[in-house]
Structures are given as C-alpha cells and as structure tokens.
Amino acid sequence: MPVIDAYFAKLIELGGSDLHLSQGQPPKIRVHGSIKPISDEILTPETIEPMMREICEERAWNKYQERGDLDFAYEMDSDNRFRCNYFKQQNGMGCVFRIIPTKIASLEQLGIPPVVKEFGHLRGGLVLVTGPTGSGKSTTLAALLDYINVNFRRHIITIEEPIEFVHRNKRSIITQREVPIQTPTFADGLRAALREDADIVLVGEMRDLETISLALTAAETGLLVFGTLHTNNARKTVDRIVDVFPADQQSQVRTMLAASLKGVVAQLLMKKADGRGRVAVNEIMISNAAVSSIIREGATQKLYDVIIGGKAQGMQFMDEAIWTKLRDGLVSPMEAYMKAIDKARFKGFLPPEDQAIANAGGGEDKKK
C-alpha cells in the first residue's frame, strides 16, 4: 500500500476535501473551507518525494520534473479517487489532492435549481458553468451529464484535466478523454470531437482563445457544448469570452455568442451557519431574445435587469440566491455579506462586532 494512502485515510476520516503536502511544512487538510495541520511533522525531501513518486507514472513524473506542474487522477480504491496537482514552490516540492466522490450526486441532492435540467434537453448551443476554483463546477456538471445519461440516448465526449468523475454508460455512450494523456490539449480534443459523431461535448476548461473559438464554432454547428470559466456571474462570463479575442474580431464574436449561448450557471459555495459543510448558490441566466440582443450590442450591464425580470423563466440573480439562503437560516449574515455583490444590502443584518469589521474594510479585504 502506498505510504501516502495513510494521509488520504485521515482526510476521509476527518471529512476533509483537500490534502496539502509541501516541503518545509506540516501536512494540512481543508475541512468545510478552512485549512488546518493534521500533524507536527515537517515534510522533508526524503519524506515527500517518495510519496509523490509512488503514485505517479514514470512518464508523468518526468514531465513534472521538467515543467514543475502536473495534473492527474489517483484511485486509492474503488470508493476513493483523488484529483492530484504537483507543483514546485520556494521550499521545494508540493502537491494538493482533492477528493472526488465516486458516486455522482443528482442535481436535486446538490440543491441546484430544477431549471438547470432544461439545459440537458437542448440539442445544440453553448452552456457555461462558472465560478471560482473549488466552487463545485465539476460536481454540478457531472450531475447534469448523469441526468442526460439516464434520460437520453446521446454520444457524450468529455475533455478533462484530469478525469474526475468516471461515468458509466447508461442510455448514453460516454467517451472520457484526459489532457494530456489521451489528447494533447483541450483544443485538440474539441477539434477531434467534431469528427467523432458527438452530440454533446464537455470542455473541462475554456482557458485560451483557440479553445473558446472552437467551442463557439462547435456550438454553432449543432453540438451541445458544456464549458467552464472562472467567472463569478453571467455578465463577467460574457465579457470574458469576448475579451479573449483581438479587438477587430470582437464584434463578430458577439454575434456568434448571441446566437449560440443558451445559458450561464454561475456557482459559489457558502459555509453553512451550523458549520456542517457548505451549500451551493447559483446565478442562472437563460438566453432569450433580450439576452441575445444585449450580447450583440455589447451592453452587458443590461443583463442584470434581464436576469431580475426573468424570474418566471427560472432566472436568478446571485444576490437573490444568497438572500434566500440567509432568510432560510442556512448561512450566517457575515457569510452572506462576504459573498454578495451588493454588500450594502446585507450589511444591516450583521451583528455589531461584524459591522465594525465591515466598516473597517476587513470583510472586503478578506473577500479579496
């Protein structure tokens, strides 16, 4: 049994989400959003390198030594799988492991609004699931793909770095490809998917111009493309897509995006008020004639009014979702204040001691 498995067992026992190992530091884990050490032992080159090397293929290890970064997945046993990131830092080697649930939760279990299922019924277009790192985007997308897998006969191709949730074929056929093992880049995998009789393509990360351009083209040609971006709301998502392109192409890109974008699901995770885990909150924008027109015009500041006015269609503004969680007692006033866009709306609910922190700018600083 690999030596590192003892740390993974501790992570699971304490209900953590991430294991952090860095040369010159004690081992640490993240539990419900907070990081804490799990022993006083300081990791040395002699202790950390064998652990890291033991669970890594030789070819991948050589790549890590050469580039200083590596992403892959490790399966400890049939019930426990981890997303692994190796890196080099000022004191030497380091790595972070994120536990990947082997059972794919349903959208209902995750508390995702029911309207998100409607994106699984589409036959083409672009749907973006966005949010900061660690906000549960992969988990939400896995639930949506599983919903499609159970209810429709489709060929679904996923391009991921690394493969996190492993999908079994149900009614659909699911082909999962890992960057850089089965395909060199996201763009290469997406380009190949156009020739592989796909109905749906999941692009794990739309991080560069080539990948975003190919995703827009694929969506225009009739594929249903799911992608992720590290943006916090619908407006920033549209702006980010357009801003990736050179200025002389942006007008054409706005036209393409107006035609192909079907929706944006932005997601944040908030600490529960009782300290037992976290809860997802979502901003949801569903494309309609008004949304398409705004994107074509480049007047994304108007999207706020469309989302607020689209409640009957299932649209939802992020601060409204946060307000609902606060009203239901699921999150604390300080957590709502920290995550909200319009902080003034939530400031009045803070207890006096937190009001003082907010007035001094402490809440704002911590959020950044």
Side-chain angles (χ1 to χ4, degrees):
M1 183 177 87
V3 174
I4 202 169
D5 282 4
Y7 286 110
F8 291 142
K10 191 73 176 171
L11 177 71
I12 294 159
E13 178 195 332
L14 296 173
S17 59
D18 300 81
L19 169 68
H20 292 250
L21 303 178
S22 278
Q23 192 173 317
Q25 295 277 326
K28 299 171 185 175
I29 65 168
R30 185 183 292 275
V31 181
H32 304 326
S34 299
I35 294 178
K36 63 180 186 180
I38 51 171
S39 84
D40 298 326
E41 171 202 4
I42 299 298
L43 295 167
T44 66
E46 293 73 29
T47 54
I48 194 169
E49 182 173 341
M51 284 194 292
M52 290 171 66
R53 194 162 189 166
E54 195 174 14
I55 61 168
C56 182
E57 290 180 7
E58 191 65 29
R59 186 178 61 153
W61 180 261
N62 292 337
K63 180 189 162 192
Y64 165 60
Q65 295 289 52
E66 180 189 331
R67 297 190 188 175
D69 282 292
L70 178 71
D71 288 291
F72 66 100
Y74 168 63
E75 194 167 286
M76 182 171 80
D77 53 43
S78 59
D79 294 324
N80 296 290
R81 202 173 144 79
F82 300 88
R83 185 177 76 196
C84 316
N85 173 253
Y86 286 8
F87 55 88
K88 290 184 180 173
Q89 40 94 14
Q90 61 184 23
N91 295 320
M93 297 180 180
C95 46
V96 177
F97 303 91
R98 162 77 49 89
I99 193 163
I100 305 167
T102 48
K103 288 178 182 157
I104 298 170
S106 69
L107 291 165
E108 288 88 353
Q109 288 168 330
L110 295 172
I112 306 299
V115 72
V116 172
K117 281 185 183 177
E118 297 303 314
F119 294 127
H121 293 249
L122 297 170
R123 298 308 295 256
L126 177 66
V127 176
L128 297 167
V129 177
T130 74
T133 301
S135 59
K137 299 184 295 293
S138 299
T139 307
T140 296
L141 273 169
L144 183 52
L145 285 193
D146 192 58
Y147 172 75
I148 296 167
N149 194 10
V150 167
N151 291 285
F152 302 98
R153 299 187 189 278
R154 305 274 193 271
H155 180 205
I156 303 165
I157 295 176
T158 75
I159 307 156
E160 303 170 76
E161 185 187 10
I163 291 169
E164 296 191 27
F165 295 89
V166 176
H167 293 268
R168 314 286 177 211
N169 292 346
K170 293 174 184 174
R171 291 188 74 189
S172 291
I173 301 168
I174 302 192
T175 304
Q176 294 186 262
R177 307 188 71 199
E178 187 164 314
V179 176
I181 297 166
Q182 283 101 31
T183 184
T185 66
F186 285 106
D188 288 321
L190 187 46
R191 195 178 289 107
L194 297 170
R195 304 187 298 272
E196 290 164 357
D197 189 34
D199 299 296
I200 298 169
V201 182
L202 165 66
V203 186
E205 204 166 317
M206 291 170 55
R207 60 168 75 134
D208 58 60
L209 189 151
E210 186 182 15
T211 306
I212 291 170
S213 179
L214 282 165
L216 283 171
T217 302
E220 269 199 326
T221 57
L223 265 70
L224 176 55
V225 179
F226 293 110
T228 69
L229 285 171
H230 291 109
T231 45
N232 290 347
N233 57 47
R235 179 186 173 181
K236 285 182 183 174
T237 300
V238 173
D239 288 340
R240 174 73 56 85
I241 294 270
V242 174
D243 289 346
V244 162
F245 290 84
D248 63 339
Q249 294 178 28
Q250 289 183 1
S251 175
Q252 181 191 351
V253 168
R254 279 196 293 269
T255 301
M256 288 176 73
L257 190 60
S260 62
L261 186 66
K262 300 301 180 189
V264 176
V265 179
Q267 184 160 306
L268 294 173
L269 286 182
M270 301 180 72
K271 291 180 187 177
K272 288 185 178 177
D274 61 8
R276 297 178 183 173
R278 292 184 288 177
V279 61
V281 288
N282 299 97
E283 176 165 303
I284 297 170
M285 182 183 81
I286 299 163
S287 191
N288 57 22
V291 168
S292 297
S293 176
I294 286 166
I295 294 172
R296 267 194 304 273
E297 290 170 20
T300 53
Q301 70 278 4
K302 296 180 183 174
L303 288 175
Y304 168 81
D305 293 329
V306 175
I307 293 168
I308 294 293
K311 202 169 182 179
Q313 278 182 267
M315 294 202 223
Q316 180 170 272
F317 186 57
M318 185 63 82
D319 280 5
E320 286 297 319
I322 292 171
W323 165 249
T324 301
K325 301 294 186 210
L326 177 62
R327 184 195 64 200
D328 294 347
L330 284 170
V331 302
S332 70
M334 190 61 175
E335 182 70 357
Y337 173 81
M338 295 283 280
K339 292 290 198 296
I341 295 166
D342 178 11
K343 297 196 178 300
R345 176 177 179 180
F346 293 89
K347 200 169 181 180
F349 295 96
L350 295 173
E353 62 273 20
D354 286 342
Q355 288 254 10
I357 293 171
N359 288 333
E364 300 279 356
D365 291 341
K366 279 190 272 184
K367 188 173 189 296
K368 289 172 190 170

